Amino acid sequence: MPSLSVRLDQQTLSRLNRRLAELLRDATDLEPVMQQAAQYMKNSTVNRIVRTKTSPGGERWAALSDVTAELKGHDQPLFHSGEMSRGINIADVSDDGFMIVADAPYASYMQRGVSKVKGAFRSKRPSPQIPARPFMGYSEENIRRISKMIRAHIFNGGD
């Protein structure tokens, strides 16, 4: 019959106790890894606006209408002056999470879209008048990378 026998001496028990204490400390002091994750998410969000032009789920944003492209002088969604990408900031970091915000005054309209537009540039098309171009949120890749950061922090001693 197979069996397993384990014998621990005082020195081994002491090392095991120290390692368990380190793991507990790292598991409860998550602010350093949350800061790292927040910076990663800020960069990922800016990358969506400036480069990939996709939602967190990977869907391409709707193209600009001809009128909007003519007014802007180009056909790049969510980019006119760079204010949107420069307005992505880390608002808060703590042991239990972080918050990324979009400080541009029109950010919520771009994230959710607008179903009714008033004024001279109103389209005769059916709603939505301004399609949602979501840029805030977590992709599956973001979740995998942040999970990996947290695991590395806990199991590699916070390094």
Side-chain angles (χ1 to χ4, degrees):
M1 171 184 289
S3 67
L4 174 66
S5 176
V6 176
R7 300 191 112 177
L8 300 174
D9 60 17
Q10 187 62 35
Q11 182 181 6
T12 304
L13 281 173
S14 180
R15 281 193 348 238
L16 181 61
N17 190 34
R18 280 193 307 273
R19 181 63 181 138
L20 287 172
E22 290 170 2
L23 285 170
L24 281 171
R25 183 196 69 231
D26 292 340
T28 57
D29 181 21
L30 295 177
E31 191 166 340
V33 73
M34 290 299 167
Q35 182 65 47
Q36 180 185 5
Q39 187 61 51
Y40 164 74
M41 278 309 301
K42 175 184 175 182
N43 294 345
S44 180
T45 303
V46 168
N47 189 52
R48 283 187 200 119
I49 295 168
V50 175
R51 290 185 185 84
T52 67
K53 313 289 187 199
T54 57
S55 72
E59 298 87 18
R60 299 260 330 142
W61 293 334
L64 295 179
S65 72
D66 292 339
V67 170
T68 303
E70 188 175 324
L71 288 170
K72 289 175 77 172
H74 60 80
D75 64 353
Q76 297 297 309
L78 267 62
F79 194 86
H80 182 65
S81 65
E83 183 179 13
M84 179 73 87
S85 60
R86 283 193 309 273
I88 305 299
N89 292 302
I90 300 169
D92 185 42
V93 177
S94 66
D95 281 333
D96 61 352
F98 58 87
M99 183 186 307
I100 305 293
V101 297
D103 288 334
Y106 49 87
S108 64
Y109 301 125
M110 299 297 106
Q111 178 75 12
R112 292 190 296 267
V114 177
S115 61
K116 293 183 180 179
V117 177
K118 298 177 183 176
F121 300 108
R122 189 171 54 202
S123 172
K124 294 186 181 2
R125 304 182 300 170
S127 295
Q129 295 289 322
I130 299 175
R133 293 182 177 99
F135 55 93
M136 298 288 281
Y138 297 94
S139 69
E140 291 298 320
E141 178 64 17
N142 296 150
I143 293 167
R144 277 192 297 277
R145 285 188 182 203
I146 291 171
S147 296
K148 186 177 179 180
M149 288 176 198
I150 293 169
R151 281 192 307 274
H153 174 80
I154 292 171
F155 296 113
N156 295 332
D159 296 331

PDB file of all heavy atoms in Angstrom, residues 8-45:
ATOM      1  N   LEU A   8       8.889  17.108  10.013  1.00  0.00           N
ATOM      2  CA  LEU A   8       9.351  18.488  10.012  1.00  0.00           C
ATOM      3  C   LEU A   8      10.160  18.753  11.274  1.00  0.00           C
ATOM      4  O   LEU A   8       9.694  18.489  12.383  1.00  0.00           O
ATOM      5  CB  LEU A   8       8.162  19.447   9.954  1.00  0.00           C
ATOM      6  CG  LEU A   8       7.252  19.331   8.735  1.00  0.00           C
ATOM      7  CD1 LEU A   8       6.051  20.233   8.891  1.00  0.00           C
ATOM      8  CD2 LEU A   8       8.011  19.661   7.470  1.00  0.00           C
ATOM      9  N   ASP A   9      11.342  19.301  11.077  1.00  0.00           N
ATOM     10  CA  ASP A   9      12.120  19.688  12.246  1.00  0.00           C
ATOM     11  C   ASP A   9      11.827  21.146  12.583  1.00  0.00           C
ATOM     12  O   ASP A   9      11.100  21.835  11.866  1.00  0.00           O
ATOM     13  CB  ASP A   9      13.617  19.448  12.007  1.00  0.00           C
ATOM     14  CG  ASP A   9      14.163  20.241  10.830  1.00  0.00           C
ATOM     15  OD1 ASP A   9      13.510  21.210  10.395  1.00  0.00           O
ATOM     16  OD2 ASP A   9      15.252  19.892  10.342  1.00  0.00           O
ATOM     17  N   GLN A  10      12.374  21.633  13.640  1.00  0.00           N
ATOM     18  CA  GLN A  10      12.107  22.993  14.109  1.00  0.00           C
ATOM     19  C   GLN A  10      12.521  24.043  13.065  1.00  0.00           C
ATOM     20  O   GLN A  10      11.796  25.008  12.831  1.00  0.00           O
ATOM     21  CB  GLN A  10      12.845  23.254  15.433  1.00  0.00           C
ATOM     22  CG  GLN A  10      12.493  24.562  16.086  1.00  0.00           C
ATOM     23  CD  GLN A  10      11.009  24.649  16.461  1.00  0.00           C
ATOM     24  OE1 GLN A  10      10.392  23.669  16.830  1.00  0.00           O
ATOM     25  NE2 GLN A  10      10.434  25.830  16.320  1.00  0.00           N
ATOM     26  N   GLN A  11      13.648  23.843  12.413  1.00  0.00           N
ATOM     27  CA  GLN A  11      14.122  24.792  11.411  1.00  0.00           C
ATOM     28  C   GLN A  11      13.163  24.843  10.207  1.00  0.00           C
ATOM     29  O   GLN A  11      12.834  25.912   9.708  1.00  0.00           O
ATOM     30  CB  GLN A  11      15.530  24.406  10.957  1.00  0.00           C
ATOM     31  CG  GLN A  11      16.109  25.376   9.949  1.00  0.00           C
ATOM     32  CD  GLN A  11      17.505  24.962   9.490  1.00  0.00           C
ATOM     33  OE1 GLN A  11      18.000  23.902   9.830  1.00  0.00           O
ATOM     34  NE2 GLN A  11      18.125  25.819   8.695  1.00  0.00           N
ATOM     35  N   THR A  12      12.699  23.691   9.758  1.00  0.00           N
ATOM     36  CA  THR A  12      11.764  23.639   8.631  1.00  0.00           C
ATOM     37  C   THR A  12      10.443  24.283   9.010  1.00  0.00           C
ATOM     38  O   THR A  12       9.857  25.040   8.222  1.00  0.00           O
ATOM     39  CB  THR A  12      11.548  22.178   8.179  1.00  0.00           C
ATOM     40  OG1 THR A  12      12.808  21.602   7.865  1.00  0.00           O
ATOM     41  CG2 THR A  12      10.639  22.111   6.968  1.00  0.00           C
ATOM     42  N   LEU A  13       9.949  24.005  10.217  1.00  0.00           N
ATOM     43  CA  LEU A  13       8.709  24.639  10.683  1.00  0.00           C
ATOM     44  C   LEU A  13       8.861  26.153  10.754  1.00  0.00           C
ATOM     45  O   LEU A  13       7.946  26.894  10.389  1.00  0.00           O
ATOM     46  CB  LEU A  13       8.303  24.077  12.051  1.00  0.00           C
ATOM     47  CG  LEU A  13       7.612  22.731  12.041  1.00  0.00           C
ATOM     48  CD1 LEU A  13       7.434  22.220  13.469  1.00  0.00           C
ATOM     49  CD2 LEU A  13       6.283  22.811  11.339  1.00  0.00           C
ATOM     50  N   SER A  14       9.993  26.614  11.181  1.00  0.00           N
ATOM     51  CA  SER A  14      10.244  28.054  11.266  1.00  0.00           C
ATOM     52  C   SER A  14      10.239  28.689   9.877  1.00  0.00           C
ATOM     53  O   SER A  14       9.638  29.756   9.669  1.00  0.00           O
ATOM     54  CB  SER A  14      11.580  28.290  11.965  1.00  0.00           C
ATOM     55  OG  SER A  14      11.840  29.659  12.059  1.00  0.00           O
ATOM     56  N   ARG A  15      10.904  28.056   8.895  1.00  0.00           N
ATOM     57  CA  ARG A  15      10.898  28.563   7.522  1.00  0.00           C
ATOM     58  C   ARG A  15       9.492  28.561   6.935  1.00  0.00           C
ATOM     59  O   ARG A  15       9.082  29.506   6.262  1.00  0.00           O
ATOM     60  CB  ARG A  15      11.833  27.722   6.641  1.00  0.00           C
ATOM     61  CG  ARG A  15      13.281  28.069   6.803  1.00  0.00           C
ATOM     62  CD  ARG A  15      14.187  27.476   5.725  1.00  0.00           C
ATOM     63  NE  ARG A  15      13.603  26.479   4.869  1.00  0.00           N
ATOM     64  CZ  ARG A  15      14.077  25.230   4.722  1.00  0.00           C
ATOM     65  NH1 ARG A  15      15.143  24.843   5.379  1.00  0.00           N
ATOM     66  NH2 ARG A  15      13.493  24.391   3.904  1.00  0.00           N
ATOM     67  N   LEU A  16       8.750  27.502   7.174  1.00  0.00           N
ATOM     68  CA  LEU A  16       7.375  27.404   6.688  1.00  0.00           C
ATOM     69  C   LEU A  16       6.508  28.503   7.308  1.00  0.00           C
ATOM     70  O   LEU A  16       5.720  29.154   6.608  1.00  0.00           O
ATOM     71  CB  LEU A  16       6.802  26.020   7.013  1.00  0.00           C
ATOM     72  CG  LEU A  16       5.381  25.739   6.559  1.00  0.00           C
ATOM     73  CD1 LEU A  16       5.258  25.839   5.050  1.00  0.00           C
ATOM     74  CD2 LEU A  16       4.946  24.363   7.039  1.00  0.00           C
ATOM     75  N   ASN A  17       6.684  28.746   8.586  1.00  0.00           N
ATOM     76  CA  ASN A  17       5.930  29.800   9.275  1.00  0.00           C
ATOM     77  C   ASN A  17       6.249  31.175   8.689  1.00  0.00           C
ATOM     78  O   ASN A  17       5.344  31.991   8.463  1.00  0.00           O
ATOM     79  CB  ASN A  17       6.230  29.751  10.777  1.00  0.00           C
ATOM     80  CG  ASN A  17       5.312  30.647  11.555  1.00  0.00           C
ATOM     81  OD1 ASN A  17       4.153  30.817  11.204  1.00  0.00           O
ATOM     82  ND2 ASN A  17       5.830  31.226  12.633  1.00  0.00           N
ATOM     83  N   ARG A  18       7.534  31.458   8.410  1.00  0.00           N
ATOM     84  CA  ARG A  18       7.917  32.736   7.806  1.00  0.00           C
ATOM     85  C   ARG A  18       7.298  32.897   6.421  1.00  0.00           C
ATOM     86  O   ARG A  18       6.803  33.958   6.064  1.00  0.00           O
ATOM     87  CB  ARG A  18       9.442  32.868   7.727  1.00  0.00           C
ATOM     88  CG  ARG A  18      10.108  33.287   9.024  1.00  0.00           C
ATOM     89  CD  ARG A  18      11.560  33.710   8.835  1.00  0.00           C
ATOM     90  NE  ARG A  18      12.393  32.738   8.134  1.00  0.00           N
ATOM     91  CZ  ARG A  18      13.038  31.733   8.714  1.00  0.00           C
ATOM     92  NH1 ARG A  18      12.948  31.551  10.023  1.00  0.00           N
ATOM     93  NH2 ARG A  18      13.782  30.915   8.000  1.00  0.00           N
ATOM     94  N   ARG A  19       7.341  31.828   5.635  1.00  0.00           N
ATOM     95  CA  ARG A  19       6.780  31.900   4.276  1.00  0.00           C
ATOM     96  C   ARG A  19       5.270  32.127   4.311  1.00  0.00           C
ATOM     97  O   ARG A  19       4.735  32.912   3.524  1.00  0.00           O
ATOM     98  CB  ARG A  19       7.118  30.627   3.495  1.00  0.00           C
ATOM     99  CG  ARG A  19       6.598  30.635   2.073  1.00  0.00           C
ATOM    100  CD  ARG A  19       7.232  31.754   1.243  1.00  0.00           C
ATOM    101  NE  ARG A  19       6.694  31.749  -0.109  1.00  0.00           N
ATOM    102  CZ  ARG A  19       6.360  32.828  -0.789  1.00  0.00           C
ATOM    103  NH1 ARG A  19       6.545  34.024  -0.257  1.00  0.00           N
ATOM    104  NH2 ARG A  19       5.873  32.738  -1.998  1.00  0.00           N
ATOM    105  N   LEU A  20       4.578  31.456   5.215  1.00  0.00           N
ATOM    106  CA  LEU A  20       3.133  31.670   5.359  1.00  0.00           C
ATOM    107  C   LEU A  20       2.830  33.107   5.778  1.00  0.00           C
ATOM    108  O   LEU A  20       1.889  33.724   5.273  1.00  0.00           O
ATOM    109  CB  LEU A  20       2.527  30.675   6.350  1.00  0.00           C
ATOM    110  CG  LEU A  20       2.408  29.241   5.864  1.00  0.00           C
ATOM    111  CD1 LEU A  20       1.985  28.323   7.002  1.00  0.00           C
ATOM    112  CD2 LEU A  20       1.443  29.144   4.698  1.00  0.00           C
ATOM    113  N   ALA A  21       3.644  33.654   6.664  1.00  0.00           N
ATOM    114  CA  ALA A  21       3.455  35.052   7.089  1.00  0.00           C
ATOM    115  C   ALA A  21       3.665  36.000   5.910  1.00  0.00           C
ATOM    116  O   ALA A  21       2.922  36.973   5.741  1.00  0.00           O
ATOM    117  CB  ALA A  21       4.404  35.387   8.236  1.00  0.00           C
ATOM    118  N   GLU A  22       4.675  35.725   5.061  1.00  0.00           N
ATOM    119  CA  GLU A  22       4.916  36.540   3.866  1.00  0.00           C
ATOM    120  C   GLU A  22       3.726  36.467   2.906  1.00  0.00           C
ATOM    121  O   GLU A  22       3.298  37.486   2.359  1.00  0.00           O
ATOM    122  CB  GLU A  22       6.182  36.076   3.138  1.00  0.00           C
ATOM    123  CG  GLU A  22       7.468  36.376   3.851  1.00  0.00           C
ATOM    124  CD  GLU A  22       8.663  35.679   3.202  1.00  0.00           C
ATOM    125  OE1 GLU A  22       8.485  34.985   2.166  1.00  0.00           O
ATOM    126  OE2 GLU A  22       9.771  35.817   3.744  1.00  0.00           O
ATOM    127  N   LEU A  23       3.221  35.250   2.696  1.00  0.00           N
ATOM    128  CA  LEU A  23       2.067  35.089   1.802  1.00  0.00           C
ATOM    129  C   LEU A  23       0.848  35.848   2.326  1.00  0.00           C
ATOM    130  O   LEU A  23       0.144  36.506   1.557  1.00  0.00           O
ATOM    131  CB  LEU A  23       1.723  33.606   1.623  1.00  0.00           C
ATOM    132  CG  LEU A  23       2.661  32.804   0.729  1.00  0.00           C
ATOM    133  CD1 LEU A  23       2.347  31.315   0.835  1.00  0.00           C
ATOM    134  CD2 LEU A  23       2.578  33.267  -0.706  1.00  0.00           C
ATOM    135  N   LEU A  24       0.613  35.769   3.624  1.00  0.00           N
ATOM    136  CA  LEU A  24      -0.515  36.506   4.210  1.00  0.00           C
ATOM    137  C   LEU A  24      -0.328  38.008   4.068  1.00  0.00           C
ATOM    138  O   LEU A  24      -1.270  38.735   3.738  1.00  0.00           O
ATOM    139  CB  LEU A  24      -0.688  36.137   5.691  1.00  0.00           C
ATOM    140  CG  LEU A  24      -1.389  34.821   5.950  1.00  0.00           C
ATOM    141  CD1 LEU A  24      -1.300  34.467   7.432  1.00  0.00           C
ATOM    142  CD2 LEU A  24      -2.832  34.882   5.502  1.00  0.00           C
ATOM    143  N   ARG A  25       0.881  38.497   4.294  1.00  0.00           N
ATOM    144  CA  ARG A  25       1.155  39.924   4.139  1.00  0.00           C
ATOM    145  C   ARG A  25       0.919  40.365   2.696  1.00  0.00           C
ATOM    146  O   ARG A  25       0.239  41.367   2.442  1.00  0.00           O
ATOM    147  CB  ARG A  25       2.594  40.238   4.557  1.00  0.00           C
ATOM    148  CG  ARG A  25       2.910  41.738   4.489  1.00  0.00           C
ATOM    149  CD  ARG A  25       4.401  42.039   4.521  1.00  0.00           C
ATOM    150  NE  ARG A  25       4.988  41.581   3.273  1.00  0.00           N
ATOM    151  CZ  ARG A  25       6.066  40.795   3.190  1.00  0.00           C
ATOM    152  NH1 ARG A  25       6.678  40.389   4.273  1.00  0.00           N
ATOM    153  NH2 ARG A  25       6.540  40.423   2.014  1.00  0.00           N
ATOM    154  N   ASP A  26       1.449  39.606   1.763  1.00  0.00           N
ATOM    155  CA  ASP A  26       1.293  39.959   0.352  1.00  0.00           C
ATOM    156  C   ASP A  26      -0.157  39.862  -0.100  1.00  0.00           C
ATOM    157  O   ASP A  26      -0.599  40.616  -0.960  1.00  0.00           O
ATOM    158  CB  ASP A  26       2.185  39.094  -0.533  1.00  0.00           C
ATOM    159  CG  ASP A  26       3.665  39.392  -0.325  1.00  0.00           C
ATOM    160  OD1 ASP A  26       3.986  40.479   0.198  1.00  0.00           O
ATOM    161  OD2 ASP A  26       4.488  38.532  -0.679  1.00  0.00           O
ATOM    162  N   ALA A  27      -0.900  38.920   0.469  1.00  0.00           N
ATOM    163  CA  ALA A  27      -2.308  38.762   0.099  1.00  0.00           C
ATOM    164  C   ALA A  27      -3.172  39.895   0.652  1.00  0.00           C
ATOM    165  O   ALA A  27      -4.234  40.181   0.107  1.00  0.00           O
ATOM    166  CB  ALA A  27      -2.834  37.418   0.593  1.00  0.00           C
ATOM    167  N   THR A  28      -2.731  40.550   1.707  1.00  0.00           N
ATOM    168  CA  THR A  28      -3.532  41.633   2.283  1.00  0.00           C
ATOM    169  C   THR A  28      -2.999  43.015   1.907  1.00  0.00           C
ATOM    170  O   THR A  28      -3.719  43.998   2.044  1.00  0.00           O
ATOM    171  CB  THR A  28      -3.597  41.511   3.813  1.00  0.00           C
ATOM    172  OG1 THR A  28      -2.275  41.503   4.353  1.00  0.00           O
ATOM    173  CG2 THR A  28      -4.339  40.242   4.218  1.00  0.00           C
ATOM    174  N   ASP A  29      -1.766  43.110   1.423  1.00  0.00           N
ATOM    175  CA  ASP A  29      -1.206  44.393   0.992  1.00  0.00           C
ATOM    176  C   ASP A  29      -1.175  44.418  -0.531  1.00  0.00           C
ATOM    177  O   ASP A  29      -0.137  44.229  -1.159  1.00  0.00           O
ATOM    178  CB  ASP A  29       0.204  44.586   1.555  1.00  0.00           C
ATOM    179  CG  ASP A  29       0.813  45.916   1.146  1.00  0.00           C
ATOM    180  OD1 ASP A  29       0.052  46.846   0.787  1.00  0.00           O
ATOM    181  OD2 ASP A  29       2.049  46.028   1.166  1.00  0.00           O
ATOM    182  N   LEU A  30      -2.348  44.658  -1.138  1.00  0.00           N
ATOM    183  CA  LEU A  30      -2.461  44.607  -2.592  1.00  0.00           C
ATOM    184  C   LEU A  30      -2.312  45.963  -3.269  1.00  0.00           C
ATOM    185  O   LEU A  30      -2.353  46.043  -4.496  1.00  0.00           O
ATOM    186  CB  LEU A  30      -3.807  43.983  -2.980  1.00  0.00           C
ATOM    187  CG  LEU A  30      -3.981  42.518  -2.591  1.00  0.00           C
ATOM    188  CD1 LEU A  30      -5.373  42.041  -2.957  1.00  0.00           C
ATOM    189  CD2 LEU A  30      -2.928  41.645  -3.246  1.00  0.00           C
ATOM    190  N   GLU A  31      -2.124  47.029  -2.494  1.00  0.00           N
ATOM    191  CA  GLU A  31      -2.043  48.351  -3.117  1.00  0.00           C
ATOM    192  C   GLU A  31      -0.937  48.452  -4.170  1.00  0.00           C
ATOM    193  O   GLU A  31      -1.167  49.019  -5.240  1.00  0.00           O
ATOM    194  CB  GLU A  31      -1.900  49.450  -2.075  1.00  0.00           C
ATOM    195  CG  GLU A  31      -2.075  50.821  -2.685  1.00  0.00           C
ATOM    196  CD  GLU A  31      -2.282  51.919  -1.672  1.00  0.00           C
ATOM    197  OE1 GLU A  31      -2.668  51.635  -0.539  1.00  0.00           O
ATOM    198  OE2 GLU A  31      -2.036  53.067  -2.041  1.00  0.00           O
ATOM    199  N   PRO A  32       0.263  47.901  -3.936  1.00  0.00           N
ATOM    200  CA  PRO A  32       1.291  47.999  -4.984  1.00  0.00           C
ATOM    201  C   PRO A  32       0.870  47.336  -6.303  1.00  0.00           C
ATOM    202  O   PRO A  32       1.092  47.892  -7.378  1.00  0.00           O
ATOM    203  CB  PRO A  32       2.502  47.285  -4.373  1.00  0.00           C
ATOM    204  CG  PRO A  32       2.291  47.352  -2.893  1.00  0.00           C
ATOM    205  CD  PRO A  32       0.808  47.295  -2.699  1.00  0.00           C
ATOM    206  N   VAL A  33       0.251  46.173  -6.238  1.00  0.00           N
ATOM    207  CA  VAL A  33      -0.165  45.500  -7.471  1.00  0.00           C
ATOM    208  C   VAL A  33      -1.380  46.198  -8.073  1.00  0.00           C
ATOM    209  O   VAL A  33      -1.538  46.225  -9.296  1.00  0.00           O
ATOM    210  CB  VAL A  33      -0.403  43.983  -7.253  1.00  0.00           C
ATOM    211  CG1 VAL A  33      -1.668  43.716  -6.481  1.00  0.00           C
ATOM    212  CG2 VAL A  33      -0.429  43.256  -8.586  1.00  0.00           C
ATOM    213  N   MET A  34      -2.232  46.799  -7.247  1.00  0.00           N
ATOM    214  CA  MET A  34      -3.370  47.552  -7.777  1.00  0.00           C
ATOM    215  C   MET A  34      -2.878  48.796  -8.518  1.00  0.00           C
ATOM    216  O   MET A  34      -3.454  49.188  -9.528  1.00  0.00           O
ATOM    217  CB  MET A  34      -4.361  47.926  -6.674  1.00  0.00           C
ATOM    218  CG  MET A  34      -5.117  46.754  -6.112  1.00  0.00           C
ATOM    219  SD  MET A  34      -6.086  45.944  -7.398  1.00  0.00           S
ATOM    220  CE  MET A  34      -6.521  44.441  -6.565  1.00  0.00           C
ATOM    221  N   GLN A  35      -1.803  49.418  -8.035  1.00  0.00           N
ATOM    222  CA  GLN A  35      -1.220  50.560  -8.733  1.00  0.00           C
ATOM    223  C   GLN A  35      -0.687  50.123 -10.099  1.00  0.00           C
ATOM    224  O   GLN A  35      -0.890  50.797 -11.106  1.00  0.00           O
ATOM    225  CB  GLN A  35      -0.098  51.185  -7.897  1.00  0.00           C
ATOM    226  CG  GLN A  35       0.538  52.397  -8.529  1.00  0.00           C
ATOM    227  CD  GLN A  35      -0.420  53.568  -8.666  1.00  0.00           C
ATOM    228  OE1 GLN A  35      -1.132  53.911  -7.722  1.00  0.00           O
ATOM    229  NE2 GLN A  35      -0.464  54.192  -9.821  1.00  0.00           N
ATOM    230  N   GLN A  36      -0.018  48.980 -10.122  1.00  0.00           N
ATOM    231  CA  GLN A  36       0.497  48.422 -11.378  1.00  0.00           C
ATOM    232  C   GLN A  36      -0.663  48.108 -12.331  1.00  0.00           C
ATOM    233  O   GLN A  36      -0.594  48.421 -13.530  1.00  0.00           O
ATOM    234  CB  GLN A  36       1.293  47.158 -11.068  1.00  0.00           C
ATOM    235  CG  GLN A  36       1.885  46.464 -12.255  1.00  0.00           C
ATOM    236  CD  GLN A  36       2.557  45.141 -11.869  1.00  0.00           C
ATOM    237  OE1 GLN A  36       2.518  44.691 -10.729  1.00  0.00           O
ATOM    238  NE2 GLN A  36       3.164  44.509 -12.854  1.00  0.00           N
ATOM    239  N   ALA A  37      -1.725  47.499 -11.820  1.00  0.00           N
ATOM    240  CA  ALA A  37      -2.892  47.151 -12.647  1.00  0.00           C
ATOM    241  C   ALA A  37      -3.589  48.412 -13.159  1.00  0.00           C
ATOM    242  O   ALA A  37      -4.042  48.461 -14.304  1.00  0.00           O
ATOM    243  CB  ALA A  37      -3.862  46.283 -11.848  1.00  0.00           C
ATOM    244  N   ALA A  38      -3.681  49.445 -12.318  1.00  0.00           N
ATOM    245  CA  ALA A  38      -4.316  50.701 -12.735  1.00  0.00           C
ATOM    246  C   ALA A  38      -3.538  51.344 -13.883  1.00  0.00           C
ATOM    247  O   ALA A  38      -4.137  51.821 -14.857  1.00  0.00           O
ATOM    248  CB  ALA A  38      -4.410  51.661 -11.551  1.00  0.00           C
ATOM    249  N   GLN A  39      -2.230  51.350 -13.794  1.00  0.00           N
ATOM    250  CA  GLN A  39      -1.410  51.918 -14.867  1.00  0.00           C
ATOM    251  C   GLN A  39      -1.588  51.112 -16.154  1.00  0.00           C
ATOM    252  O   GLN A  39      -1.698  51.677 -17.242  1.00  0.00           O
ATOM    253  CB  GLN A  39       0.067  51.966 -14.460  1.00  0.00           C
ATOM    254  CG  GLN A  39       0.936  52.704 -15.458  1.00  0.00           C
ATOM    255  CD  GLN A  39       0.533  54.160 -15.634  1.00  0.00           C
ATOM    256  OE1 GLN A  39       0.394  54.898 -14.664  1.00  0.00           O
ATOM    257  NE2 GLN A  39       0.311  54.578 -16.866  1.00  0.00           N
ATOM    258  N   TYR A  40      -1.625  49.794 -16.017  1.00  0.00           N
ATOM    259  CA  TYR A  40      -1.860  48.934 -17.182  1.00  0.00           C
ATOM    260  C   TYR A  40      -3.203  49.257 -17.830  1.00  0.00           C
ATOM    261  O   TYR A  40      -3.307  49.397 -19.053  1.00  0.00           O
ATOM    262  CB  TYR A  40      -1.788  47.457 -16.761  1.00  0.00           C
ATOM    263  CG  TYR A  40      -2.391  46.534 -17.787  1.00  0.00           C
ATOM    264  CD1 TYR A  40      -1.727  46.250 -18.976  1.00  0.00           C
ATOM    265  CD2 TYR A  40      -3.646  45.969 -17.570  1.00  0.00           C
ATOM    266  CE1 TYR A  40      -2.300  45.426 -19.929  1.00  0.00           C
ATOM    267  CE2 TYR A  40      -4.221  45.145 -18.523  1.00  0.00           C
ATOM    268  CZ  TYR A  40      -3.546  44.870 -19.691  1.00  0.00           C
ATOM    269  OH  TYR A  40      -4.126  44.062 -20.630  1.00  0.00           O
ATOM    270  N   MET A  41      -4.270  49.406 -17.017  1.00  0.00           N
ATOM    271  CA  MET A  41      -5.599  49.692 -17.569  1.00  0.00           C
ATOM    272  C   MET A  41      -5.667  51.083 -18.177  1.00  0.00           C
ATOM    273  O   MET A  41      -6.336  51.292 -19.190  1.00  0.00           O
ATOM    274  CB  MET A  41      -6.679  49.522 -16.505  1.00  0.00           C
ATOM    275  CG  MET A  41      -7.112  48.090 -16.307  1.00  0.00           C
ATOM    276  SD  MET A  41      -7.575  47.216 -17.829  1.00  0.00           S
ATOM    277  CE  MET A  41      -8.916  48.217 -18.449  1.00  0.00           C
ATOM    278  N   LYS A  42      -4.986  52.043 -17.576  1.00  0.00           N
ATOM    279  CA  LYS A  42      -4.936  53.381 -18.173  1.00  0.00           C
ATOM    280  C   LYS A  42      -4.313  53.288 -19.563  1.00  0.00           C
ATOM    281  O   LYS A  42      -4.855  53.811 -20.536  1.00  0.00           O
ATOM    282  CB  LYS A  42      -4.141  54.338 -17.291  1.00  0.00           C
ATOM    283  CG  LYS A  42      -3.968  55.702 -17.914  1.00  0.00           C
ATOM    284  CD  LYS A  42      -3.103  56.620 -17.087  1.00  0.00           C
ATOM    285  CE  LYS A  42      -2.879  57.920 -17.859  1.00  0.00           C
ATOM    286  NZ  LYS A  42      -2.023  58.849 -17.164  1.00  0.00           N
ATOM    287  N   ASN A  43      -3.176  52.606 -19.659  1.00  0.00           N
ATOM    288  CA  ASN A  43      -2.497  52.457 -20.955  1.00  0.00           C
ATOM    289  C   ASN A  43      -3.368  51.709 -21.962  1.00  0.00           C
ATOM    290  O   ASN A  43      -3.423  52.079 -23.141  1.00  0.00           O
ATOM    291  CB  ASN A  43      -1.163  51.727 -20.776  1.00  0.00           C
ATOM    292  CG  ASN A  43      -0.171  52.528 -19.962  1.00  0.00           C
ATOM    293  OD1 ASN A  43      -0.326  53.727 -19.752  1.00  0.00           O
ATOM    294  ND2 ASN A  43       0.853  51.854 -19.467  1.00  0.00           N
ATOM    295  N   SER A  44      -4.050  50.664 -21.508  1.00  0.00           N
ATOM    296  CA  SER A  44      -4.909  49.885 -22.390  1.00  0.00           C
ATOM    297  C   SER A  44      -6.062  50.735 -22.923  1.00  0.00           C
ATOM    298  O   SER A  44      -6.413  50.664 -24.103  1.00  0.00           O
ATOM    299  CB  SER A  44      -5.451  48.665 -21.635  1.00  0.00           C
ATOM    300  OG  SER A  44      -6.287  47.899 -22.452  1.00  0.00           O
ATOM    301  N   THR A  45      -6.648  51.563 -22.058  1.00  0.00           N
ATOM    302  CA  THR A  45      -7.770  52.418 -22.453  1.00  0.00           C
ATOM    303  C   THR A  45      -7.311  53.470 -23.458  1.00  0.00           C
ATOM    304  O   THR A  45      -7.969  53.708 -24.476  1.00  0.00           O
ATOM    305  CB  THR A  45      -8.403  53.066 -21.219  1.00  0.00           C
ATOM    306  OG1 THR A  45      -8.815  52.027 -20.317  1.00  0.00           O
ATOM    307  CG2 THR A  45      -9.603  53.918 -21.583  1.00  0.00           C
TER     308      THR A  45
END
